[in-house]
Amino acid sequence: MAESRTNLSPISDVLIELRRDSRMPLHQQIEAAIRTGIQCGRFRLGMPLPPTRAIAASLGVSRGVVVEAYQQLVAEGYLTSQAGGYTRIAIDGQPEQPSAVVPPASTPTIDFGYGRADVAHFPRAAWLRSARRVLTETPNERFGYLNGRGVPELHQALADYLNRVRGTAASPDTMVICNGYAQGIALLIQVLARSGGTVLAVEDPSANDDARPLAEAAGLDTVGVPVDEHGIRVDALERTDADAVILTPSHQWPTGAVLSAESRAAVLRWASRRRALVIEDDYDAEYRYDRAPISAIQGLAPDRVVYAGTASKTLAPGLRLGWLVVPRHLVEAVTAAKKAADRGSPVIDQLAFADFLARGEFDRHLRRMRPAYRRRRDALLAALRDRLPDLVPAGVAAGLHLVAWLPPDLDEAAVVDAAARRGVGVYGVTPYRMSAPGPAGLIFGYATLTEATIIEGISILANAVSEVRGH
Ligand SMILES: Cc1ncc(COP(=O)(O)O)c(C=O)c1O
């Protein structure tokens, strides 16, 4: 109890509503309000109540009324008062809450969970410098409501960065800052549905658990288009009547395939013919290890392609910072959807990120992280080669995860289960397939694990695979 008391600073006011027309005396109304507040957890154990004089003044009653209420509650054990000190809440009336933390029984000890940046390397010092600069130097008017698209400083800094590094044709006035890709895709789906679209194509397999429920809620049908080692099969896309397609062309999720130059051109021809929209999810392009850079397709057709980027893989998902570069004819509709959703993303984070980009801190951070992730990827590839040589890694040249295809004798779910029983989290490709059949495989995220842990994890996985094979 001592600990909870020291953590709480005195409060200056509490909400108590008095009904002057009630037959209940005023002191009893005050007692009832505090009692109920304690019972429902609004007033916590150790919380100091305002002095009787202050509360009497704010309620417009005599101090004696409040003193009487406090004394009654002290007598009942709800409050405690010490001479010269604050009157505090003496009991914990909050109903027992079920623990929000799931018991760790099934939490893997070594988790190859995919898609996670190593937030332990978040550039705190540089971000703090940017945040401090913003708070010191930004004029007051920037802290008001904006136009929904975000702050101009970030539009400019991101356009400069994306055009330089990703080969986009981004113009600051066509950018919409949003709360991660998750919100970006939600806004685009709304706009698509409102403009009369009825069918959304997604890659199969893909992280369709993002888009599919949103599309369904907006009344759109979702159609899966198979992916092979060159990315989405454009011949299959051409057979759909999709109004838009979501692509991960630079590093297909999860297979890691790169959309070939011919397929890029073919997708854009299809989009132009059908007047369809291409949504380019460029989620992890910053991490490229041993292949030539592949530019964003948005740069080839800025009037047909929405470019969607995120800070989730480069900095931290908790920032909830994402951005859309939108074809000019859609800017107004996407901005209106964003405005209706939340009136715009938080300004201070946007300004801090703009400063962080403009000062080259983002480039510096990526330069630091690339070799670290590359070492982890190399450790994973070497361990797979040593311990599980009949698994076939793919999509290894970029990103924060890779896929290893399983030989036909291995059942994906059985391997995932056997690994989980030994405390290793690996994840199957099959749950991400919609209808197109394809090989079984495992997805390995490696960005948050040390090289030693990766080696240990693969060694345990190899034992799990032996168990599945029955030796
Ligand atoms: C394919 C794909 N796109 C985008 C994202 C980023 O989503 P967000 O920006 O909402 O964190 C992820 C995150 O895991 C992803 O896997």
Side-chain angles (χ1 to χ4, degrees):
M1 188 201 279
E3 206 174 76
S4 62
R5 281 184 181 188
T6 50
N7 286 339
L8 295 168
S9 45
I11 48 175
S12 60
D13 204 1
V14 289
L15 173 68
I16 295 174
E17 286 179 278
L18 291 185
R19 295 198 47 187
R20 310 265 170 190
D21 58 350
S22 163
R23 277 204 252 151
M24 189 190 271
L26 291 175
H27 71 91
Q28 283 183 11
Q29 290 189 43
I30 298 171
E31 285 162 40
I34 296 175
R35 216 180 275 115
T36 311
I38 295 171
Q39 284 160 356
C40 70
R42 203 151 56 85
F43 303 142
R44 289 188 294 114
L45 175 68
M47 197 185 244
L49 287 178
T52 49
R53 193 176 292 106
I55 227 173
S58 77
L59 293 176
V61 299
S62 76
R63 184 170 168 229
V65 169
V66 183
V67 171
E68 193 175 348
Y70 276 25
Q71 281 173 347
Q72 178 59 32
L73 291 168
V74 169
E76 289 175 18
Y78 281 100
L79 300 182
T80 172
S81 73
Q82 285 151 359
Y86 285 95
T87 300
R88 292 173 185 272
I89 308 297
I91 60 170
D92 193 355
Q94 200 157 14
E96 285 277 294
Q97 297 280 344
S99 166
V101 179
V102 180
S106 60
T107 306
T109 322
I110 298 178
D111 191 3
F112 289 97
Y114 41 85
R116 299 176 196 156
D118 190 350
V119 291
H121 288 278
F122 184 83
R124 288 174 187 248
W127 190 269
L128 183 61
R129 281 195 297 277
S130 290
R132 179 173 289 131
R133 207 170 283 123
V134 160
L135 287 170
T136 315
E137 295 171 11
T138 302
N140 293 343
E141 55 269 23
R142 275 281 178 273
F143 294 165
Y145 287 117
L146 295 173
N147 65 2
R149 288 201 301 117
V151 300
E153 290 89 337
L154 185 53
H155 297 149
Q156 186 65 59
L158 269 172
D160 290 347
Y161 169 77
L162 294 171
N163 293 345
R164 169 169 61 86
V165 172
R166 298 297 303 124
T168 51
S171 157
D173 58 345
T174 60
M175 302 197 72
V176 180
I177 308 302
C178 45
N179 298 337
Y181 170 79
Q183 186 184 42
I185 192 65
L187 300 177
L188 294 170
I189 285 172
Q190 279 174 35
V191 168
L192 192 63
R194 281 194 200 126
S195 63
T198 54
V199 179
L200 174 67
V202 297
E203 296 166 324
D204 186 3
S206 67
N208 60 63
D209 46 343
D210 275 339
R212 227 168 143 185
L214 293 167
E216 227 163 73
L220 298 178
D221 287 333
T222 319
V223 52
V225 180
V227 162
D228 64 20
E229 67 274 26
H230 305 296
I232 197 164
R233 291 253 314 277
V234 188
D235 58 325
L237 178 64
E238 283 167 345
R239 287 194 293 275
T240 71
D241 49 5
D243 301 292
V245 61
I246 304 176
L247 297 180
T248 47
S250 298
H251 192 232
Q252 202 274 329
W253 199 95
T255 65
V258 175
L259 192 65
S260 65
E262 304 81 68
S263 294
R264 281 161 188 254
V267 166
L268 294 177
R269 278 198 302 275
W270 166 84
S272 167
R273 241 185 355 259
R274 269 198 72 76
R275 306 178 69 76
L277 192 64
V278 177
I279 300 169
E280 176 173 28
D281 175 6
D282 202 34
Y283 65 106
D284 69 357
E286 282 83 358
Y287 295 112
R288 176 174 59 77
Y289 310 113
D290 32 30
R291 70 163 198 217
I294 294 158
S295 58
I297 59 174
Q298 188 271 354
L300 303 174
D303 55 338
R304 278 282 136 230
V305 182
V306 178
Y307 176 93
T310 175
S312 291
K313 311 286 174 176
T314 46
L315 290 167
L319 282 177
R320 305 313 302 135
L321 265 172
W323 45 91
L324 301 175
V325 184
V326 181
R328 216 163 267 288
H329 68 280
L330 289 177
V331 172
E332 206 179 309
V334 177
T335 306
K338 170 66 179 165
K339 241 170 150 174
D342 57 15
R343 296 203 169 102
S345 288
V347 164
I348 295 176
D349 289 342
Q350 291 185 61
L351 289 168
F353 188 34
D355 182 85
F356 190 83
L357 276 161
R359 288 177 187 276
E361 293 292 358
F362 193 59
D363 292 277
R364 260 190 290 284
H365 174 64
L366 293 174
R367 274 202 301 276
R368 260 196 310 272
M369 293 313 294
R370 259 183 221 116
Y373 288 146
R374 184 187 182 133
R375 280 194 298 275
R376 292 171 192 183
R377 181 209 62 165
D378 289 347
L380 175 58
L381 284 174
L384 286 171
R385 214 179 302 117
D386 282 358
R387 301 300 313 266
L388 290 162
D390 52 356
L391 269 60
V392 182
V396 306
L400 304 178
H401 77 276
L402 58 81
V403 161
W405 300 117
L406 294 175
D409 71 309
L410 276 177
D411 179 71
E412 183 184 291
V415 173
V416 170
D417 283 352
R421 280 197 301 278
R422 291 161 186 261
V424 170
V426 286
Y427 303 88
V429 171
T430 304
Y432 296 97
R433 292 195 187 280
M434 291 172 70
S435 54
L442 300 176
I443 310 169
F444 294 86
Y446 48 79
T448 60
L449 300 173
T450 64
E451 286 141 73
T453 311
I454 288 170
I455 293 165
E456 188 190 343
I458 296 303
S459 164
I460 298 170
L461 177 65
N463 294 338
V465 166
S466 294
E467 177 196 311
V468 170
R469 282 189 162 133
H471 356 111

